[in-house]
Amino acid sequence: MDRMKKKELRIIAPKLPKSFIENELFTHRLEDEVEIMGEKFNNCDIEDITAHRARISGVVFNNVTFREVGLIGCDIEDVVFENCDLSNINLSDSTVFRTEFINCKMVGANLSGINFQDVVMKNCMGRYSNGRYSTFKHLLMEACSFELADFQNAQFKESRFDESSFRECQMSGAKLWGMDLSSCDIEGIGVRVEDVRGAMISPVQAVSLAHLFGLVINEEM
């Protein structure tokens, strides 16, 4: 029997301006409802800032470290984060649209209640991140690690995971119907029977999830 082909996933890329205002320092007063557009930030730090309902559009962050930053309920659209440290950033209840996270550190990031659409994540580290009650539509995740993360009650729609790790990740209540997890590490994943119904897994993964169905594997056979 031929292995089922991965479903083609079409993601709309960020619509970036042809030219940017280049910045080596982040000098914006990032406050509630502020708007940042058409800029590129390189090799700088953004620290001790919290903003609600801000709009960030057509922006590139390259090698930027975010420390004690909260972008809560914000609109993040047509943005690229590359080689950035977003550890412990608070993006809760934000909308992230046509955005890429490339080679980013997202340890402990608060992604709860977030709305992701047309988002690419490649080579990202998201251990201990919180994505509870979030919606991910048209998400492509490649070679990422979200071990010990929490995606309980999240919804994944028309998304794809490739060669990523979800070891000991909590996904109880998540909607995984139609998701292909067969190339991922899901050892110790926290799910219920109804959560994995309709998901595609490998034979080895099926053995590790057998306990959900009350099955006992006879290893002496």
Side-chain angles (χ1 to χ4, degrees):
M1 182 175 175
D2 293 334
R3 180 181 175 85
M4 294 181 65
K5 293 183 179 179
K6 287 185 180 293
K7 184 178 179 181
E8 183 179 358
L9 182 63
R10 295 184 179 180
I11 293 181
I12 303 173
K15 297 179 180 180
L16 299 173
K18 293 182 179 179
S19 60
F20 296 93
I21 300 172
E22 298 274 353
N23 298 284
E24 297 295 332
L25 293 173
F26 188 84
T27 58
H28 284 275
R29 184 178 178 183
L30 192 53
E31 56 189 14
D32 294 354
E33 302 182 11
V34 74
E35 188 172 271
I36 301 173
M37 300 179 66
E39 300 190 55
K40 185 175 184 180
F41 300 95
N42 299 295
N43 308 310
C44 60
D45 295 346
I46 302 175
E47 300 180 285
D48 300 319
I49 293 174
T50 299
H52 297 78
R53 301 177 302 281
R55 182 168 183 245
I56 302 174
S57 178
V59 174
V60 172
F61 296 96
N62 179 46
N63 197 30
V64 174
T65 297
F66 295 77
R67 294 192 183 95
E68 303 297 328
V69 172
L71 299 172
I72 302 168
C74 295
D75 290 328
I76 300 171
E77 180 177 304
D78 298 315
V79 174
V80 174
F81 296 91
E82 188 166 5
N83 301 316
C84 291
D85 189 345
L86 297 145
S87 297
N88 299 310
I89 193 171
N90 186 353
L91 295 174
S92 59
D93 300 318
S94 292
T95 296
V96 180
F97 185 39
R98 293 194 302 261
T99 293
E100 296 180 352
F101 297 87
I102 311 297
N103 299 322
C104 289
K105 186 177 180 181
M106 305 176 72
V107 175
N110 185 351
L111 309 176
S112 61
I114 206 167
N115 183 11
F116 264 34
Q117 184 167 337
D118 289 301
V119 171
V120 173
M121 305 180 80
K122 293 185 178 180
N123 298 310
C124 291
M125 170 68 75
R127 288 170 63 92
Y128 305 111
S129 59
N130 174 14
R132 283 192 174 198
Y133 296 98
S134 294
T135 299
F136 302 91
K137 184 176 182 181
H138 296 167
L139 166 67
L140 173 61
M141 187 181 291
E142 292 185 352
C144 293
S145 176
F146 278 82
E147 298 177 359
L148 298 162
D150 188 347
F151 288 101
Q152 294 185 70
N153 297 294
Q155 296 187 48
F156 296 93
K157 303 177 181 179
E158 301 175 62
S159 297
R160 201 173 84 198
F161 301 144
D162 291 342
E163 304 292 340
S164 294
S165 177
F166 299 97
R167 289 178 67 92
E168 299 185 55
C169 179
Q170 293 301 314
M171 286 192 169
S172 178
K175 305 300 183 184
L176 298 173
W177 181 277
M179 298 296 298
D180 185 351
L181 301 171
S182 60
S183 68
C184 298
D185 185 349
I186 60 170
E187 186 68 29
I189 192 172
V191 289
R192 304 168 302 180
V193 171
E194 55 267 37
D195 301 325
V196 293
R197 185 174 288 118
M200 186 186 301
I201 59 176
S202 70
V204 173
Q205 291 170 334
V207 172
S208 69
L209 295 175
H211 68 281
L212 294 176
F213 301 90
L215 300 176
V216 177
I217 305 299
N218 186 350
E219 298 182 355
E220 297 179 358
M221 294 292 292

